[in-house]
Amino acid sequence: MKLQRLHLKAFGAFSDRVLDLSGGTEGLHLIHGPNEAGKSTTLRAITQLLYGIDTKTSDAFLHPMQNLRIGASLPSGGEDLSFYRRKGNKATLLAADEKT
């Protein structure tokens, strides 16, 4: 699986931040920055995008729990598959238009 784009729409200290990971041919991206830049938050966002946002997440200090959103685009048969994950108990995976 290769993430083409990661959209931290409302997660942790991020609001509408997009990481474009589509460049390069080797399949490896290094994300670096100073302390408190958001590297660990980004790693948690990727994990929670794939497996669901934790029930008692610590990443809801800027945005209310019900507004947490993480989006991504993945390559799928020649086109990108885009989706979002929201905080919740059911139907947390959303289409690109953020509807179930």
Side-chain angles (χ1 to χ4, degrees), residues 6 8 11-14 17 19 31-45 59:
L6 180 66
L8 301 170
F11 191 80
F14 294 110
R17 178 69 59 158
L19 292 175
I31 297 174
H32 64 91
N35 289 342
E36 301 299 319
K39 301 176 300 290
S40 295
T41 300
T42 301
L43 182 58
R44 280 193 311 277
D59 292 301

Side-chain angles (χ1 to χ4, degrees), residues 15-29:
S15 296
D16 206 29
R17 178 69 59 158
V18 176
L19 292 175
D20 181 6
L21 303 169
S22 62
T25 58
E26 301 303 319
L28 176 68
H29 293 277

Side-chain angles (χ1 to χ4, degrees), residues 51-84:
Y51 300 106
I53 299 175
D54 292 339
T55 304
K56 295 182 180 180
T57 184
S58 61
D59 292 301
F61 56 88
L62 181 62
H63 306 282
M65 288 268 196
Q66 68 271 15
N67 292 347
L68 294 181
R69 297 284 187 282
I70 310 163
S73 293
L74 307 169
S76 176
E79 61 183 69
D80 285 349
L81 172 66
S82 296
F83 62 96
Y84 282 89

